Amino acid sequence: MAVYTDISEYELSDFLTSYNIGSLLSCKGIAEGVENSNFLLHTQKDAYILTLYEKRVNEKDLPFFFGLMHHLAGKGIACPQPIAAKDGALVSHLAGRPAAVITFLEGMWIRKPNVAHCRSVGAVLARVHLAGEDFSMKHENSLSLSGWRTLWNACRTRANAFATDLSVEIDRELDNLEDLWPVDLPVGIIHADLFPDNVFFLGDRLSGLIDFYFACNDLLAYDIAVCLNAWCFEKDGSFNLTKGSAMLSAYCRERPLTESELAFLPLLARGAAIRFFLTRLYDWFYSPENGLVVKKDPLEYLRKLRFFGQIRQISELGLSKI
């Protein structure tokens, strides 16, 4: 989450007259993340999130995201729901941007995840994958293998400022991933961005998931690879095998992984690492300096990419038995 587009109190109050959510009491911009402009609203009725969609979220894709959130909620997955305007529309416009009002999800994201948090995430991720099996809408992953080369080409000439010979290293890595990427693993609905700031807890209980704007149809095991990157490393950059074991074991109890998925998981983890390295690198170079935007360190995911490049079997990620 972030703020790229500022809005005045007058604009916001006028916008909210299109909704049956009461008069505005307060509004606060949310400064975390890099994708959309987000505001926490308090009205006479409740708390809500207002999102103005920027950058990578296309307005034509919003029905997929909103439909998925509604579908998952019907399957028992706690996630925010879009609020319809008085005319029934889920998507409106504010300050020249597509906009939506979303229900507020109670809970807090965990800054220092422990083993129990990783276990909960593994279990809920599997339930999301199972719940999405009968979701009829489709959406391509624009930030999967086919999109990485485009991001890299936009950054390549400036990349060596981050690390010596980085352009050679990433060229080689993309070549390898393109040659080895699996095409016959189970496919379904994935969240694709299930980082700690997109998972809320109330105490030790997972209370829900947010930010489905990268959700798509792709390899289910790739979603697990994203979570290994996001949840199982310590501040010093080391991989926590106990966290990896907790996450993978909890996932497999809900949805057992195939032998092929397990065999390819280290490669998929490399792919997930390079995806977030490249989007962070792109945002580092191209995000506006005048926005209330937190730029994230690309090198964190370069180090993770190098770690996963050394992994040869699933036991090295914490799962000793199939």
Side-chain angles (χ1 to χ4, degrees), residues 5-78:
T5 303
D6 201 6
I7 50 177
S8 68
E9 183 179 349
Y10 173 80
E11 286 179 299
L12 181 54
S13 296
D14 183 63
F15 172 80
L16 293 180
T17 61
S18 299
Y19 292 82
N20 289 311
I21 61 173
S23 299
L24 180 67
L25 299 178
S26 67
C27 172
K28 179 181 179 182
I30 301 173
E32 294 170 340
V34 293
E35 295 304 327
N36 302 307
S37 296
N38 289 271
F39 304 86
L40 173 60
L41 308 180
H42 288 277
T43 75
Q44 291 174 327
K45 286 192 175 182
D46 211 337
Y48 303 90
I49 299 294
L50 167 67
T51 298
L52 275 61
Y53 297 98
E54 323 243 11
K55 297 187 69 179
R56 298 189 180 104
V57 178
N58 193 311
E59 182 175 356
K60 67 180 178 61
D61 296 327
L62 291 174
F64 171 87
F65 302 133
F66 293 157
L68 176 60
M69 291 155 68
H70 179 74
H71 178 84
L72 293 177
K75 297 280 188 171
I77 306 294

Side-chain angles (χ1 to χ4, degrees), residues 16 78 86 88 110 122 126 135 145 156 163 215 260 279 286 307 315 322:
L16 293 180
K86 292 175 181 177
I110 303 299
F135 183 59
L145 180 68
R156 189 180 185 279
S260 292
T279 49
Y286 294 104
F307 167 80
S315 61
I322 298 178

Side-chain angles (χ1 to χ4, degrees), residues 86-142:
K86 292 175 181 177
D87 63 2
L90 295 178
V91 182
S92 301
H93 290 83
L94 176 61
R97 304 288 193 275
V101 178
I102 311 292
T103 57
F104 179 78
L105 185 68
E106 293 289 348
M108 296 179 61
W109 71 272
I110 303 299
R111 269 65 175 177
K112 295 181 179 180
N114 61 30
V115 172
H117 297 132
C118 292
R119 184 177 297 111
S120 295
V121 169
V124 77
L125 184 65
R127 292 198 290 271
V128 167
H129 291 168
L130 294 171
E133 288 179 344
D134 59 349
F135 183 59
S136 60
M137 300 178 73
K138 305 291 183 183
H139 181 57
E140 181 182 355
N141 185 358
S142 61

Side-chain angles (χ1 to χ4, degrees), residues 13 106 110 128 150 163 180 201 243 255 280-281 286 302:
S13 296
E106 293 289 348
I110 303 299
V128 167
T150 301
L180 299 173
F201 286 83
K243 290 181 179 179
R255 178 189 167 267
R280 286 187 175 195
L281 190 67
Y286 294 104
L302 180 63

